[in-house]
Amino acid sequence: MTLQLQAGVSLKPYNSFGVDVRAQWFAEAHDDDDVREALAYVAEHRLPLLVIGGGSNLLLTADIQALVLRMATRGIRLLHDDGVNVVIEAEAGEPWHPFVLSTLAQGWSGLENLSLIPGTVGAAPMQNIGAYGVEIKDVFAGLTALDRETGELREFSLQECQFGYRDSLFKHAAGRWVILRVRFALSRAEHLHLGYGPVAQRLAEQGISQPTAGDVSRAICSIRNEKLPDPAVLGNAGSFFKNPLVPAAQAAELKQVHPGLVSYPQPDGQVKLAAGWLIEAAGWKGFREEDAGVHRLQSLVLVNYGTASGQQLLALARRIQADILQRFSVALEMEPNLY
Ligand code: FAD
Ligand code: NAP
């Protein structure tokens, strides 16, 4: 047995909100055998299993009566290279942003818009991470997962993952699949996505008229560093609410009453509303009660000033949801995974 099990471990260092709850059992997986050992252990002891990566999309609301398995597997390999297009495979525990930088350093583009997202490669498919007009589904080439029900390895294609807006099959499968490694189709030919407002503007401000993928990555890092709190300094889990999709008629009605409403028509006829705008318009920006608050620059981000509990953060989120529903008749859905 190589898996090192520890009892009663504080999860404070393992979640970006910095919430201090304990795991009944805690272990790190460094290879597939460790994951299999963890599965065997929880089966034998009839324990739940919670697999985590960087803990940057979690809200932990109580002690976790389970084995918490942190994916710490490493490895990046080139599976295919035809001179232009490449397929790269990365182990689940690889930290996401350093992985993105390593692909850019090789001259492979595709992940530049997803720069500086915290967390791990293995968690990226969970909510089809997205930023600045790109989602991982746009460069996804498959993944390998371990089925907790059968103990078998299973390959997933793009279609099988059922990716949606911050959504996938895995988000709804209640921990059935442990994602072991993910494959990405990248390219030496750069097809840059600059259509998302601030990116093109930032490049222009820097005097860059013919950007490379590296330039786009650096521009996005600079924008993110200005707007988003660093979890190492101020606990948070990024955007706490998804941008709601509403029927076009409802968006039009809202716009009549609130001309400043930020909205984006979608190809399916629905309209995406900027949840951050709704929360700010309702007066929550910068709100603080004890150590739970709404970030002063980015109202989509709930923050922990130090000692907030998961319950306090959840209570604040519910108050905001109720207020937005009452004011705008719009239901906000939480994005982080609640445990
Ligand atoms: P965790 O928080 O550890 O886990 C998230 C979920 O995935 C949990 O349900 C967990 O059980 C499950 N999980 C984790 N690893 C595995 C695995 N190997 N197999 C099976 N299940 C697994 N998200 C975006 O989409 N776009 C952004 O731009 C973005 N920006 C952010 C900025 C900040 C400052 C922060 C704090 C967060 C941001 N996020 C963003 C959210 C978060 O970074 C991503 O969702 C990220 O992919 C979470 O990775 P993680 O390893 O930290 O996952
Ligand atoms: P922003 O640029 O202030 O824009 C506000 C919202 O408007 C965003 O949520 C975005 O939706 C939407 N938007 C802006 N330009 C758009 C366009 N051209 N087409 C369609 N929708 C557009 O957003 P931000 O908060 O600074 O975040 C920048 C990007 O990073 C966003 O893509 C955001 O999703 C991502 N991000 C995500 C998290 C997270 O935790 N999930 C945290 C930080 C940043 P989308 O969110 O759908 O893109």
Side-chain angles (χ1 to χ4, degrees):
M1 172 135 175
T2 59
L3 192 71
Q4 303 284 316
L5 282 170
Q6 294 170 264
V9 170
S10 167
L11 293 176
K12 192 171 159 77
Y14 301 112
N15 74 97
S16 63
F17 259 127
V19 164
D20 195 5
V21 296
R22 284 187 181 271
Q24 184 181 1
W25 294 101
F26 179 84
E28 291 189 341
H30 296 280
D31 57 28
D32 289 5
D33 287 344
D34 284 347
V35 178
R36 288 182 187 283
E37 271 187 41
L39 294 190
Y41 185 86
V42 295
E44 187 187 340
H45 294 86
R46 294 175 186 275
L47 275 173
L49 176 75
L50 172 58
V51 176
I52 63 168
S56 63
N57 209 14
L58 303 178
L59 180 59
L60 304 174
T61 57
D63 287 344
I64 306 292
Q65 305 301 335
L67 167 57
V68 174
L69 184 69
R70 193 176 84 90
M71 296 300 287
T73 51
R74 292 298 176 93
I76 299 172
R77 55 195 80 84
L78 178 61
L79 298 185
H80 168 85
D81 186 352
D82 68 8
V84 179
N85 301 304
V86 297
V87 176
I88 311 298
E89 182 175 72
E91 294 294 320
E94 281 288 339
W96 178 259
H97 179 60
F99 166 63
V100 171
L101 293 184
S102 76
T103 63
L104 292 170
Q106 296 285 340
W108 303 325
S109 77
L111 296 174
E112 53 277 1
N113 289 41
L114 303 175
S115 296
L116 216 58
I117 297 180
T120 54
V121 165
M126 282 294 293
Q127 69 161 17
N128 178 30
I129 55 168
Y132 300 95
V134 173
E135 299 174 330
I136 67 153
K137 75 167 173 46
D138 302 325
V139 288
F140 182 82
L143 67 77
T144 306
L146 194 56
D147 184 348
R148 286 183 53 198
E149 286 183 8
T150 64
E152 304 279 314
L153 287 181
R154 157 115 189 247
E155 303 298 325
F156 283 88
S157 68
L158 175 66
Q159 286 71 24
E160 288 168 327
C161 292
Q162 297 172 25
F163 289 127
Y165 172 60
R166 306 285 187 271
D167 199 21
S168 75
L169 166 80
F170 308 103
K171 194 146 181 174
H172 300 279
R176 173 166 175 187
W177 308 99
V178 182
I179 296 169
L180 297 177
R181 39 201 156 265
V182 187
R183 293 176 286 285
F184 302 91
L186 306 178
S187 178
R188 289 189 179 85
E190 299 190 340
H191 305 288
L192 304 179
H193 299 270
L194 308 173
Y196 191 103
V199 180
Q201 193 188 326
R202 179 57 54 99
L203 288 163
E205 283 163 10
Q206 294 170 340
I208 299 171
S209 56
Q210 304 247 293
T212 62
D215 292 328
V216 174
S217 171
R218 284 184 287 278
I220 286 175
C221 288
S222 70
I223 297 167
R224 293 183 70 108
N225 278 329
E226 283 167 18
K227 289 186 78 169
L228 289 167
D230 176 355
V233 179
L234 185 60
N236 75 91
S239 303
F240 200 89
F241 301 101
K242 293 184 188 182
N243 289 319
L245 293 164
V246 301
Q250 186 183 357
E253 274 173 34
L254 280 168
K255 204 127 195 164
Q256 279 204 329
V257 186
H258 309 281
L261 177 75
V262 176
S263 61
Y264 298 93
Q266 300 299 293
D268 65 2
Q270 296 191 95
V271 176
K272 183 176 77 180
L273 306 180
W277 187 91
L278 298 172
I279 296 167
E280 186 172 344
W284 288 98
K285 196 176 191 176
F287 175 88
R288 176 173 178 173
E289 190 167 85
E290 297 185 28
D291 273 355
V294 178
H295 192 245
R296 64 186 176 83
L297 296 178
Q298 173 48 287
S299 48
L300 253 192
V301 177
L302 298 195
V303 291
N304 176 7
Y305 286 97
T307 62
S309 67
Q311 288 292 346
Q312 284 174 314
L313 289 159
L314 182 60
L316 173 58
R318 290 199 168 130
R319 278 175 69 187
I320 293 171
Q321 281 178 317
D323 190 33
I324 299 305
L325 187 61
Q326 199 240 325
R327 285 174 193 262
F328 303 106
S329 302
V330 172
L332 290 184
E333 194 185 329
M334 295 184 203
E335 186 179 294
N337 301 274
L338 249 61
Y339 295 100

